[in-house]
Amino acid sequence: MDSVSRLEITAKSPGARRGAQVLQRLREQPPNLWYRGEQVKDVTAHPALRGGVHTLAALYDLQWQHADVTLFDSPTTGRKVARSFLIPRTQAELRSITAAMRVWQDHTHGMMGRSPDYISRAMTGFAAAADFLAAADARFGLNARRYHEYLRENDLCLTHTLATPQANRAASSAQQADPFLAARIKEETDAGLVIRGARMLATLPVSDEIMVFPSTVLRSSEEDAPYAFAFSIPSNTPGLRFICRESVDHGRSHYDHPLGSRFEEMDALVVFDDVRVPWENVLLHRDVERCNQAYARTGAAVHMTHQVVVKNIAKSEFLLGLASLMVSTIGAENFQHIQEKLAEIWVGMEAMKAFLRAAEADAALDEWGVMRPAWNPLDAARNLYPRLYPRMVEIIQQIGASGLVTMPTEADVRGPLAEDIRRYYQAARAEAHDRIPLFRLAWDVALSAFGSRQVLYERFFFGDPVRMAGALVAGHNGEIQRHAEQVREFVRQGRDAAFASAASA
């Protein structure tokens, strides 16, 4: 699609979508997904995907149910559009984006880590900082602004992919045995780029388009230049394939799998089989240094992390509520070790809230005139939560203990042994018909395939925690050294006082 046709579509665009429109587009323009060796013809009906797809559609209906919070008037058409595409210029506008994101996160309880507002915030950052892209090529800045407008006016959902396939981890993409293992530029034409290779990990591949982000770990060498790019393309582009992992939605009821049946967002490897990318879709090209700087300079990382911390708060609140209800149901609230565990979840939840509040309170206009949340508290939050969430899940396991692995299914509850179940599954403050679905929810959080995927996902949400810690130390080294200098001065004062005392004696 060229830039002219995009502008034409913008003029006719519907603005903020409703769920039925989301499902209709996925049926009419299905992404090229493959699941268990077969191409998925209709993602809205496929047993492994439909639960998450229909929850995705419900989010778009939800934004209209809370339109005063989640939508704003388009500066182009005047139609209502999603607030996640707003470029904030004031702290009030920034806080309004937080409020809008909370609507979706409260609905999903933070269990869909890649809800559409995540990449919407990233693309808004790129568009607001279009001059950074234009410094390399004027077309790229214009592309970013046009694409942001196109997304906003059509309310499209994006997935994204960043990491390279795990083959030889000791070698760079250019040094792999197969130079096209990682997605790279195969050739360049007057029309655009031809991309061959693969990328991982595309979460929510049931999306309208995919944003192929630049890597931030490229070396400043000519051999890495073919791997340095950023572009967007529709998810049904010829040659583009998504190879999905096994679903954590096993087609069971909301009673049996309350989370997996609703919030399976899917993850996929993305294959680029000589995919043609028009120049109108390109944001960065063969610029290693600019690719490494892109997230920080444009603010995309900050805006994405802002969304993630909102998600973390909703998720922590949900687990605190779950833990508390479990404790009350089985009459364990007077045990001190239980109180300690509830307090631990509460402290983690409040820490996330404090990080968000600090990020908003200390927000300031960046070099592009965007009200950017303060980075330090967000950076602290994204480095802390990969340790907090697995511990929260462990607490759910410790509270539930053997009760998590002996819960009957919906079929059992409705079967011939219903009377046994009614008698033997009662709790201190709940009949069996109330206790069982509560503990099945706890099981889906703490033990199921869905729950295990959530723990792994949170551990590596922004990448390897060790590499993230290294980046944190490097990025905040000036501040760290200022504090070190304070300690050095304190030690020096004590040393000098001691020597002065000895000399006077």
Side-chain angles (χ1 to χ4, degrees), residues 158-211:
L158 270 73
T159 182
H160 84 296
T161 181
L162 170 64
T164 57
Q166 293 182 350
N168 182 354
R169 300 298 294 274
S172 68
S173 295
Q175 296 168 343
Q176 300 292 323
D178 179 357
F180 287 100
L181 180 70
R184 63 167 286 167
I185 299 170
K186 179 191 173 187
E187 59 181 295
E188 302 168 15
T189 69
D190 291 341
L193 307 177
V194 178
I195 306 296
R196 176 183 291 182
R199 282 279 191 92
M200 55 180 289
L201 178 67
T203 300
L204 200 70
V206 289
S207 298
D208 303 306
E209 303 213 356
I210 181 171
M211 175 65 199

Side-chain angles (χ1 to χ4, degrees), residues 90-358:
T90 67
Q91 286 190 333
E93 288 183 339
L94 181 64
R95 288 192 294 270
S96 77
I97 294 169
T98 299
M101 294 191 295
R102 270 307 297 250
V103 171
W104 279 3
Q105 296 309 319
D106 286 345
H107 182 78
T108 63
H109 310 296
M111 294 294 173
M112 291 187 76
R114 289 292 193 262
S115 54
D117 48 354
Y118 179 73
I119 302 300
S120 298
R121 295 310 299 149
M123 288 309 310
T124 300
F126 274 102
D131 288 346
F132 169 78
L133 306 173
D137 189 317
R139 295 175 299 174
F140 300 161
L142 180 61
N143 290 348
R145 291 191 181 97
R146 283 178 167 169
Y147 189 57
H148 174 253
E149 182 181 42
Y150 171 68
L151 294 175
R152 184 189 68 214
E153 301 304 323
N154 291 277
D155 203 13
L156 297 186
C157 173
L158 270 73
T159 182
H160 84 296
T161 181
L162 170 64
T164 57
Q166 293 182 350
N168 182 354
R169 300 298 294 274
S172 68
S173 295
Q175 296 168 343
Q176 300 292 323
D178 179 357
F180 287 100
L181 180 70
R184 63 167 286 167
I185 299 170
K186 179 191 173 187
E187 59 181 295
E188 302 168 15
T189 69
D190 291 341
L193 307 177
V194 178
I195 306 296
R196 176 183 291 182
R199 282 279 191 92
M200 55 180 289
L201 178 67
T203 300
L204 200 70
V206 289
S207 298
D208 303 306
E209 303 213 356
I210 181 171
M211 175 65 199
V212 183
F213 275 29
S215 171
T216 59
V217 294
L218 295 169
R219 300 168 184 170
S220 297
S221 62
E222 184 60 30
E223 69 177 7
D224 280 337
Y227 302 93
F229 47 75
F231 60 82
S232 61
I233 50 175
S235 296
N236 63 348
T237 298
L240 184 67
R241 296 191 295 274
F242 296 87
I243 303 176
C244 298
R245 60 158 168 78
E246 185 175 8
S247 179
V248 295
D249 179 0
H250 304 303
R252 304 287 287 277
S253 68
H254 291 342
Y255 186 101
D256 284 348
H257 290 186
L259 299 178
S261 63
R262 289 178 169 97
F263 304 126
E264 163 62 293
E265 53 190 348
M266 187 50 74
D267 307 291
L269 177 79
V270 187
V271 177
F272 300 84
D273 187 3
D274 290 355
V275 172
R276 297 187 177 277
V277 181
W279 285 116
E280 290 81 5
N281 296 48
V282 177
L283 303 182
L284 289 166
H285 170 237
R286 297 183 66 92
D287 191 332
V288 173
E289 182 178 4
R290 201 166 292 272
C291 281
N292 287 335
Q293 296 174 352
Y295 289 106
R297 285 290 305 278
T298 64
V302 180
H303 299 305
M304 294 160 75
T305 308
H306 177 201
Q307 188 270 355
V308 170
V309 176
V310 173
K311 181 265 299 177
N312 291 350
I313 292 171
K315 201 168 193 174
S316 301
E317 289 176 343
F318 186 68
L319 262 64
L320 178 61
L322 173 61
S324 177
L325 192 54
M326 292 171 67
V327 167
S328 175
T329 298
I330 61 179
E333 64 272 12
N334 291 327
F335 293 104
Q336 285 188 321
H337 74 93
I338 292 292
Q339 295 168 6
E340 180 188 34
K341 289 177 173 59
L342 291 177
E344 189 175 347
I345 299 178
W346 182 89
V347 168
M349 176 192 72
E350 286 297 320
M352 290 298 115
K353 291 181 179 180
F355 287 136
L356 177 61
R357 188 183 182 102

Side-chain angles (χ1 to χ4, degrees), residues 486-497:
Q486 291 175 330
V487 175
R488 181 180 290 109
E489 177 61 20
F490 182 79
V491 171
R492 186 193 63 77
Q493 291 173 3
R495 180 202 63 195
D496 292 351

